[in-house]
Amino acid sequence: MRLIVESPAPGLNESLAYYNSLGFRCSTWKKNGLCQTKNLTIFLNTSAYSRPCINLYEAKENKLGASPSGTWVKQEREKLTLIDAKNKSLLGNYGGVCIETLDLNASFIFWQAKGFKGILEPEASWCSLKNENGDTISLLKANSCPHLFTNPSLAFFNGYQNSKIITHLKALNVPIKQEVIFGEETIADNLVINDPGGLGFFIFND
């Protein structure tokens, strides 16, 4: 199955403008929108019933369910013929979907059943799983992340380049949800942002 992240877009033009400003390759699709960067496709759903969630295309059945974390998971039988984007957005290096959960073990088992593989160590506070398409989901135990967190969120890891990316985003007046400072640092070198539909992004220096 192919993972696509869904974001509500009651104002499609606003959402398209947001992602275009961040360097995503955007297009309209079935009166909705698709925005792509390397290894990531975001479906902008204009339905009033849309929520930030995960779509799994090329599934065996059409089904709406939820993971143990409460995150919606939509399975679609439809096969997609999208051309994968090769460019990186202004957000940097995409690292996968992040989901916070009260029950790490139950969430791990849930995603295993969806074709994702990984290792869950005893007493771990997080784990990472990947499917055959290279889609990554990181599961984080509740109370392990000291910053704002909406399910699902998308992680971008940029190492020492993150400060330059943050400076660029601020120059573009991208709305910032939270500036994150770890340890004894006095200047934030990590950001949390949300798109117009509420989908979360972590722009971190990992």
Side-chain angles (χ1 to χ4, degrees):
M1 292 184 284
R2 178 169 181 167
L3 186 152
I4 290 180
V5 180
E6 179 176 330
S7 180
L12 181 58
N13 289 337
E14 178 188 6
S15 292
L16 288 172
Y18 179 86
Y19 281 100
N20 276 316
S21 73
L22 294 178
F24 282 72
R25 188 181 72 185
C26 298
S27 60
T28 55
W29 183 57
K30 297 182 179 179
K31 299 182 180 180
N32 299 294
L34 283 179
C35 295
Q36 294 179 279
T37 185
K38 189 174 182 180
N39 300 323
L40 169 65
T41 298
I42 297 173
F43 169 41
L44 301 177
N45 192 342
T46 59
S47 169
Y49 301 100
S50 174
R51 300 291 184 269
C53 65
I54 293 173
N55 285 217
L56 297 175
Y57 280 83
E58 302 175 16
K60 294 182 179 179
E61 60 178 335
N62 294 328
K63 181 180 179 181
L64 172 60
S67 72
S69 68
T71 302
W72 284 15
V73 179
K74 296 181 180 180
Q75 294 183 193
E76 305 282 353
R77 295 180 61 187
E78 182 177 358
K79 291 187 177 181
L80 299 178
T81 56
L82 300 175
I83 299 175
D84 292 327
K86 303 299 182 183
N87 64 299
K88 290 183 181 179
S89 73
L90 299 183
L91 302 181
N93 301 310
Y94 175 60
V97 177
C98 293
I99 298 174
E100 193 171 45
T101 178
L102 289 171
D103 192 331
L104 192 60
N105 187 64
S107 290
F108 182 80
I109 293 172
F110 175 88
W111 289 107
Q112 277 189 316
K114 303 298 182 186
F116 287 79
K117 296 180 180 180
I119 297 175
L120 177 58
E121 300 288 351
E123 306 302 321
S125 61
W126 73 280
C127 65
S128 183
L129 302 96
K130 185 173 291 189
N131 67 8
E132 60 183 7
N133 294 320
D135 301 313
T136 299
I137 291 179
S138 294
L139 302 173
L140 298 103
K141 193 173 182 179
N143 294 324
S144 63
C145 294
H147 52 74
L148 294 176
F149 202 128
T150 55
N151 277 341
S153 286
L154 307 179
F156 290 79
F157 300 126
N158 300 308
Y160 70 93
Q161 295 288 340
N162 208 50
S163 59
K164 293 181 180 179
I165 289 174
I166 289 174
T167 299
H168 195 177
L169 294 177
K170 287 183 175 180
L172 293 173
N173 293 317
V174 175
I176 296 170
K177 196 74 172 178
Q178 183 182 23
E179 296 190 41
V180 183
I181 299 175
F182 289 114
E184 298 180 357
E185 298 292 330
T186 57
I187 299 176
D189 52 7
N190 300 278
L191 293 183
V192 179
I193 63 176
N194 290 88
D195 78 353
L199 181 64
F201 294 78
F202 302 143
I203 319 301
F204 277 16
N205 66 351
D206 296 57

